[in-house]
Amino acid sequence: MAAVLAAAQTNRGVLLAMATEILNINGWDSGWPTGAVANVDEAIAAADGSVVECATEGDIVVFDLTNTGLTDADTITQLDITFRARETSAASGDNSIDVEFLVGAAVQGNAQNVVLTTDFQDFSLSTDAWDTDWTQAQLDGAQVRCTSVQTGMPSAGGWQVDCLDVVVTYTPDSGAPEFTSRLGLLGYG
């Protein structure tokens, strides 16, 4: 007769599905774009063609985001920035935007550059490699900074942003106490 042993297993909380929350533009702190916050505060799915626009190389706009409903106990696993933008003139050279995510005014990761065309396109930037261990207060003050970059000549024209989504993927805190289950000796015979 042989003894049958099972492996010990530890489980934290309950298996939870991932959840998402979308943060949108609700203002800007710096930059001199033309347009109004109401032009760009909608979600990508509701893009309406109303824009904010920057006209010259090096223009920087720091977009403020809506507050989050996450709590400090939730675990952020990924953050994706999606925005709809275009350059305003094909004759303006090669327009692009450097996009950065800021938490507490500190840049998270590296700027990600997207090259624009004269047609509105959706661009998605993933933050898989970024530290996502932020508090609710830090995420509530988060911003997206867009900097105009022109590599072609003549250096004229600019870019337009129609809307922007910051999709936060997270595991909600279950509120359940931690439990441990151990499987031991199942039988002897």
Side-chain angles (χ1 to χ4, degrees):
M1 297 193 208
V4 179
L5 298 176
Q9 179 181 356
T10 301
N11 296 320
R12 280 186 65 85
V14 188
L15 180 60
L16 297 173
M18 297 294 226
T20 59
E21 179 178 24
I22 299 176
L23 309 178
N24 299 113
I25 296 171
N26 73 347
W28 53 74
D29 271 353
S30 64
W32 301 100
T34 57
V37 171
N39 291 353
V40 292
D41 64 354
E42 72 270 11
I44 291 286
D48 62 7
S50 297
V51 299
V52 294
E53 181 174 351
C54 286
T56 59
E57 181 176 5
D59 276 352
I60 299 172
V61 179
V62 180
F63 293 109
D64 296 327
L65 301 173
T66 52
N67 285 343
T68 178
L70 275 67
T71 68
D72 288 346
D74 297 329
T75 304
I76 299 171
T77 55
Q78 185 170 325
L79 190 135
D80 298 295
I81 300 169
T82 303
F83 65 99
R84 179 167 291 161
R86 70 177 178 183
E87 69 175 335
T88 56
S89 171
S92 66
D94 298 323
N95 286 316
S96 64
I97 300 176
D98 280 345
V99 179
E100 298 167 305
F101 186 68
L102 293 93
V103 173
V107 175
Q108 305 296 301
N110 298 316
Q112 298 185 42
N113 183 269
V114 295
V115 177
L116 304 175
T117 67
T118 55
D119 296 321
F120 277 113
Q121 294 181 8
D122 292 349
F123 299 94
S124 293
L125 309 172
S126 179
T127 58
D128 292 335
W130 295 358
D131 174 19
T132 55
D133 188 25
W134 303 306
T135 65
Q136 178 184 0
Q138 289 172 319
L139 201 55
D140 282 349
Q143 299 170 310
V144 174
R145 178 169 49 203
C146 297
T147 304
S148 177
V149 179
Q150 293 178 320
T151 56
M153 291 300 290
S155 185
W159 51 269
Q160 297 176 332
V161 171
D162 184 357
C163 48
L164 180 142
D165 289 349
V166 175
V167 180
V168 181
T169 305
Y170 66 100
T171 303
D173 176 44
S174 69
E178 179 179 333
F179 66 91
T180 303
S181 66
R182 298 194 187 280
L183 304 176
L185 185 62
L186 296 178
Y188 184 84

